[in-house]
Amino acid sequence: QVQLVESGGGLVQPGGSLRLSCAASTSIFSIYAMGWYRQAPGKQRELVATIASGGNTNYADSVKGRFTISTDNAKNTMYLQMNSLKPEDTAVYYCSADRVLGATMSRSWGQGTQVTVSS
């Protein structure tokens, strides 16, 4: 299991920006892929963005052009830069890390950080 700690959430006005961080307890080089997911009240958890070890990224259509996922390997940290935030982006944001252990893929989750977009 990889320990993941998110930070950077908060209250922001529509059109504002936030940067979320996800610090991993192990070297990112040992992680196959990392991602950000979010869960709004009464809704299922949904994919926001992923980044693979080779650097390939993937975004949900709803955040394309507004959010950017990245990693800092020296700091074992993943980021989610969120710009042009909308009220519908309000949710608890979770980071994930996938590791390959033999023939098994193991996913770890962070505890979540609240993002609220409201005027």
Side-chain angles (χ1 to χ4, degrees), residues 71-103:
T71 58
D72 184 331
N73 295 337
K75 296 182 178 180
N76 296 329
T77 300
M78 175 179 64
Y79 302 99
L80 185 68
Q81 178 66 45
M82 305 186 295
N83 298 328
S84 302
L85 283 161
K86 304 175 181 180
E88 51 263 44
D89 294 318
T90 296
V92 178
Y93 283 70
Y94 299 90
C95 65
S96 69
D98 295 338
R99 297 179 73 186
V100 177
L101 303 173

Side-chain angles (χ1 to χ4, degrees), residues 34-110:
M34 298 186 75
W36 289 99
Y37 292 75
R38 66 187 181 187
Q39 187 166 18
K43 295 187 177 181
Q44 290 188 331
R45 189 172 298 188
E46 63 177 3
L47 170 72
V48 176
T50 61
I51 184 165
S53 58
N56 290 336
T57 58
N58 179 54
Y59 295 92
D61 288 343
S62 60
V63 307
K64 281 181 181 177
R66 300 188 298 123
F67 291 9
T68 303
I69 189 171
S70 64
T71 58
D72 184 331
N73 295 337
K75 296 182 178 180
N76 296 329
T77 300
M78 175 179 64
Y79 302 99
L80 185 68
Q81 178 66 45
M82 305 186 295
N83 298 328
S84 302
L85 283 161
K86 304 175 181 180
E88 51 263 44
D89 294 318
T90 296
V92 178
Y93 283 70
Y94 299 90
C95 65
S96 69
D98 295 338
R99 297 179 73 186
V100 177
L101 303 173
T104 303
M105 180 77 75
S106 174
R107 172 165 290 181
S108 301
W109 293 96

